[in-house]
Amino acid sequence: MTNVLKKMDGKKVGFFAAGVLFGTAGVKILSGKDAKKVYTQCTAAVLRAKECVMKTVTSIQENAEDIYAEAQEINETRAEKEQDFADESEKGADAENR
């Protein structure tokens, strides 16, 4: 038993005891009424921030969908013009061969 006591470092035991004391006090402080008010306010702030972020994300998503739709229309129009040009050049080639 004396060997065990000799190997114990007083500084480490003091730190352990202080940790237990602060941990116990911390639990009591964190579970108090004032702490609950703080948690509630922080949670409300996070929910407000989430709402703001979701509005921004929705706006960006709608804009991206509009841009995508317009880009598809541009490509369809371009493809139609290219097809018309190809048809006209085929007609011209046929007329020359006659």
Side-chain angles (χ1 to χ4, degrees):
M1 181 86 159
T2 56
N3 287 340
V4 172
L5 293 175
K6 287 181 184 177
K7 290 184 180 182
M8 292 174 106
D9 185 7
K11 191 175 182 180
K12 290 181 183 178
V13 172
F15 282 136
F16 176 76
V20 170
L21 178 65
F22 285 125
T24 304
V27 168
K28 292 203 179 230
I29 290 170
L30 294 175
S31 62
K33 289 181 182 179
D34 292 335
K36 185 176 178 183
K37 289 178 185 176
V38 170
Y39 302 149
T40 305
Q41 292 295 325
C42 288
T43 303
V46 167
L47 290 173
R48 286 190 304 271
K50 177 187 170 193
E51 186 177 326
C52 180
V53 168
M54 291 308 293
K55 284 181 183 177
T56 303
V57 167
T58 301
S59 174
I60 291 171
Q61 187 176 17
E62 289 171 355
N63 288 337
E65 289 171 355
D66 292 343
I67 291 169
Y68 181 74
E70 289 178 24
Q72 282 183 321
E73 288 177 17
I74 291 169
N75 284 337
E76 288 172 1
T77 304
R78 186 174 180 179
E80 288 173 4
K81 286 181 182 178
E82 288 177 1
Q83 184 63 37
D84 290 344
F85 180 74
D87 290 344
E88 288 178 11
S89 63
E90 283 179 14
K91 288 179 184 176
D94 287 342
E96 289 178 11
N97 289 336
R98 289 185 192 174

